[in-house]
């Protein structure tokens, strides 16, 4: 399904499956639990309780983690659901996606363009193909790549709601002018440039992709230990 570029669509993830990226980083009583996964916002909320209880049991976490895991998931789902029903402009938008991930011993960096207007896109399938093409063997890398793509698409979708809202306000305040449509077309592009810190336009980046090669590196145990120690210091 391709969303119409002429008008807004109702907010959702601009992918085939409407899955919300959920990120957890909980510390309590000297223990830390970090995880990242997707969640179907249509699932009943009692599934959150089941997930939190099973996670605490399987990982032998202190009982207090149950409440914190449940509340964190509920809060992130509430943020997503707050946008549901609102208009968002996807238009004919090609957006840059950047990857800079470390998963276990694998370091992967890449950048590519994504059609925000294609509601049949599949980040998980794309990630599987990318890992296969790059010869990545760690089975945890693919899900991490897909999650990183979904996080960025989620941010852009939220930005698209803001663009739709600003466009409506512009049309109300400037009836009879074409300011609203101009705002709709240029506002999101400016938001994309700010969000991804690109000094050039998305069209310019398309040309850059011809010479940009993805990078995959396998880290030694010593390099992983050093990175994890640095991440731990930053977390404090």
């Amino acid at each position: 399904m391709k969303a119409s570029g002429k008008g807004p669509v109702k907010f959702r993830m601009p992918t085939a499956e409407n899955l919300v990226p959920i990120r957890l980083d909980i510390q309590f009583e000297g223990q830390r639990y970090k995880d990242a996964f997707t969640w179907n916002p249509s699932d009943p909320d009692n599934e959150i309780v089941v997930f939190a209880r099973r996670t605490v049991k399987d990982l032998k976490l202190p009982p207090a983690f149950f409440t914190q895991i449940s509340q964190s998931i509920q809060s992130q789902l509430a943020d997503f659901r707050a946008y549901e029903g609102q208009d968002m402009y996807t238009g004919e938008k090609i957006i840059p996606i950047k990857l800079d991930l470390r998963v276990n011993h694998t370091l992967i960096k890449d950048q590519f363009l994504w059609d925000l207007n294609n509601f049949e896109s599949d980040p998980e399938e794309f990630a599987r193909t990318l890992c296969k093409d790059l010869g990545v063997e760690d089975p945890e890398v693919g899900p991490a790549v897909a999650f990183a793509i979904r996080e960025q698409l989620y941010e852009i979708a939220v930005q698209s709601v803001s663009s739709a809202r600003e466009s409506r306000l512009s049309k109300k305040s400037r009836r009879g002018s074409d300011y609203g449509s101009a705002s709709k077309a240029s506002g999101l592009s400016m938001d994309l440039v700010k969000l991804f810190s690109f000094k050039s336009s998305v069209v310019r980046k398309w040309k850059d992709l011809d010479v940009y090669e993805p990078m995959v590196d396998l880290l030694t145990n010593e390099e992983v230990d050093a990175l994890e120690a640095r991440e731990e210091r930053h977390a404090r």
Side-chain angles (χ1 to χ4, degrees):
M1 180 182 86
K2 295 281 282 187
S4 171
K6 296 182 179 180
V9 295
K10 294 304 178 184
F11 176 83
R12 57 159 289 150
M13 287 291 294
T15 54
E17 291 189 277
N18 189 38
L19 300 176
V20 185
I22 300 290
R23 188 178 289 277
L24 301 178
D25 189 353
I26 299 169
Q27 297 187 72
F28 186 74
E29 293 183 350
Q31 289 188 254
R32 187 178 185 186
Y33 167 61
K34 291 181 66 175
D35 203 357
F37 48 86
T38 56
W39 198 278
N40 189 332
S42 299
D43 285 349
D45 283 352
N46 65 347
E47 292 292 328
I48 299 173
V49 175
V50 174
F51 173 84
R53 185 177 292 124
R54 185 175 66 245
T55 299
V56 169
K57 180 182 178 182
D58 291 349
L59 299 181
K60 296 180 173 56
L61 297 170
F65 273 78
F66 167 76
T67 300
Q68 296 193 47
I69 291 172
S70 299
Q71 289 179 346
S72 183
I73 296 174
Q74 288 169 343
S75 175
Q76 292 178 67
L77 287 176
D79 289 343
F80 180 88
R81 289 166 177 163
Y83 291 104
E84 290 183 324
Q86 297 189 51
D87 290 341
M88 72 174 188
Y89 281 112
T90 54
E92 298 297 331
K93 291 297 177 185
I94 305 297
I95 64 167
I97 297 290
K98 295 185 72 176
L99 299 177
D100 189 352
L101 305 171
R102 181 185 66 83
V103 183
N104 301 323
H105 285 70
T106 302
L107 188 67
I108 181 169
K109 294 184 179 183
D110 197 4
Q111 63 184 35
F112 43 85
L113 299 176
W114 196 276
D115 185 359
L116 194 68
N117 195 40
N118 181 8
F119 280 52
E120 295 178 357
S121 64
D122 187 340
E124 286 73 24
E125 179 61 29
F126 175 88
R128 285 191 291 270
T129 302
L130 179 67
C131 288
K132 181 179 179 181
D133 291 346
L134 296 178
V136 175
E137 297 180 356
D138 188 337
E140 295 184 25
V141 175
V145 168
F147 185 89
I149 294 171
R150 283 192 177 276
E151 272 195 320
Q152 293 177 59
L153 292 178
Y154 182 19
E155 288 187 68
I156 297 297
V158 170
Q159 293 253 341
S160 300
V161 170
S162 299
S163 295
R165 190 181 300 124
E166 290 168 6
S167 179
R168 286 198 305 273
L169 291 174
S170 298
K171 287 178 180 178
K172 286 181 181 179
S173 62
R174 303 195 182 194
R175 285 189 184 132
S177 75
D178 60 357
Y179 177 83
S181 58
S183 173
K184 176 175 64 178
S186 63
L188 180 57
S189 294
M190 289 303 297
D191 286 340
L192 289 172
V193 171
K194 286 187 291 185
L195 180 62
F196 288 97
S197 301
F198 281 127
K199 295 180 181 179
S200 56
S201 69
V202 174
V203 175
R204 174 80 183 104
K205 279 295 162 185
W206 188 291
K207 297 176 183 178
D208 291 347
L209 288 180
D210 292 337
V211 296
Y212 190 91
E213 292 290 335
M215 189 277 285
V216 176
D217 194 14
L218 286 178
L219 305 177
T220 64
N221 290 333
E222 291 76 15
E223 289 172 325
V224 170
D225 291 342
L227 282 172
E228 289 181 346
R230 189 185 310 159
E231 290 169 3
E232 191 68 29
R233 286 196 299 271
H234 289 164
R236 293 181 194 146

